[in-house]
Amino acid sequence: RDAHEAVHRRPYPCREEGCGRAFHEAAARDKHEVHHRVHAELRYTCREEGCGRAFASAGRRKDHERAVHSGERLFPCRKAGCGRAFATASNRAQHEALHRRAFPCRAEGCGLAFDDEAARDGHEECHRVSAERPYACREGCSRAFTRPDHRRSHELRHRGEKPLACREAGCAEAFFTASDRRRHEKAAHAPQEGRDGRL
C-alpha cells in the first residue's frame, strides 16, 4: 500500500503562481515550467497563411515552415546508399540512429532497424502487401497497412508533417497521430493532485 501511495506523492510543485501542477521529479517540474515561460515568449508566428502556429525562436519557426509547408529536405542521411532526406537536422539525427541498430529491416527502402531479431521479424510483416494489408505506402517505401488512415499517418512521417498540435495553451509540440498527441497531453499536461481534490 505504501508503495502504491508513493506513486501519488508529487513533492515538486510548479512554482508558477496559480498553476497547481506537481511532479515526481524536479527535472519534470523544470521542464513543465518552461511551458509557462514559452507561452509568454511565443512571438515568432508561422508566416504560412492560415497556420497560426507560434514559436519561441525564429529557428523553430523556420524548421516548422520547412517541415510542414515547403517540403524542403535540406538534411540528407549521411549513411551511404540510404537516400532519405529530412526537413530538420534533429529529424535526420533521429533517423540516423536507426542505422546503428544491429538488426536492420531487409525490405528495400525501409531503413528501420531493431535491437533484436524477433522485433525485426515482427516488423517485416508490415511490408507484405496482401489481402490483409491492401494499403501500400505511396511515398516510395515498401510498407503496407490494414487501414487507409494508418497509411496516411505513416505517409505524414515521410513528409515530416505533424498536423496535430498539442491542445494545451502555450505548448508548441505537434504530432503525427492523435494517439501520440494524447500520450503527450496525458504525460505533460494531465491534471495533477490538487486540481480536482483527489490524489
Side-chain angles (χ1 to χ4, degrees):
R1 179 184 161 125
D2 288 338
H4 173 77
E5 288 177 355
V7 170
H8 298 290
R9 282 189 222 113
R10 298 172 190 269
Y12 299 97
C14 176
R15 295 169 288 207
E16 182 74 17
E17 188 175 325
C19 177
R21 300 275 310 268
F23 301 87
H24 294 292
E25 299 171 351
R29 183 219 26 226
D30 295 344
K31 184 176 178 183
H32 161 79
E33 288 176 344
V34 167
H35 291 288
H36 290 296
R37 291 190 297 279
V38 167
H39 180 65
E41 299 169 5
L42 294 178
R43 59 179 184 248
Y44 296 93
T45 304
C46 177
R47 295 170 287 208
E48 183 74 18
E49 188 174 328
C51 179
R53 293 281 310 275
F55 303 89
S57 72
R60 289 281 185 138
R61 175 180 65 190
K62 185 176 181 180
D63 285 348
H64 160 80
E65 290 171 346
R66 185 183 304 133
V68 176
H69 302 299
S70 78
E72 284 183 273
R73 300 286 180 258
L74 301 178
F75 299 91
C77 177
R78 294 171 286 207
K79 178 156 174 79
C82 178
R84 301 271 315 268
F86 301 88
T88 67
S90 62
N91 287 350
R92 175 180 63 189
Q94 185 178 13
H95 164 79
E96 288 177 342
L98 299 175
H99 289 302
R100 293 189 288 275
R101 291 183 172 172
F103 294 91
C105 177
R106 295 169 289 208
E108 188 176 326
C110 177
L112 290 178
F114 301 87
D115 294 324
D116 62 73
E117 192 172 11
R120 189 250 335 258
D121 292 347
H123 157 77
E124 287 177 347
E125 287 296 315
C126 76
H127 294 290
R128 292 169 183 59
V129 177
S130 65
E132 293 84 33
R133 292 182 176 275
Y135 301 99
C137 176
R138 298 167 294 198
E139 295 287 330
C141 86
S142 62
R143 293 210 45 196
F145 302 88
T146 57
R147 296 172 32 179
D149 56 319
H150 290 172
R151 176 177 61 187
R152 276 192 304 277
S153 293
H154 165 77
E155 290 170 347
L156 289 173
R157 294 176 192 273
H158 279 293
R159 296 189 298 269
E161 294 177 24
K162 294 182 177 181
L164 300 170
C166 177
R167 295 171 288 204
E168 181 77 13
C171 183
E173 296 292 324
F175 304 92
F176 295 113
T177 66
S179 60
D180 289 343
R181 178 174 65 184
R182 277 193 304 274
R183 189 176 308 110
H184 160 78
E185 289 173 345
K186 184 176 180 182
H189 308 298
Q192 306 296 322
E193 64 187 41
R195 282 208 176 166
D196 60 3
R198 297 183 296 172
L199 285 179

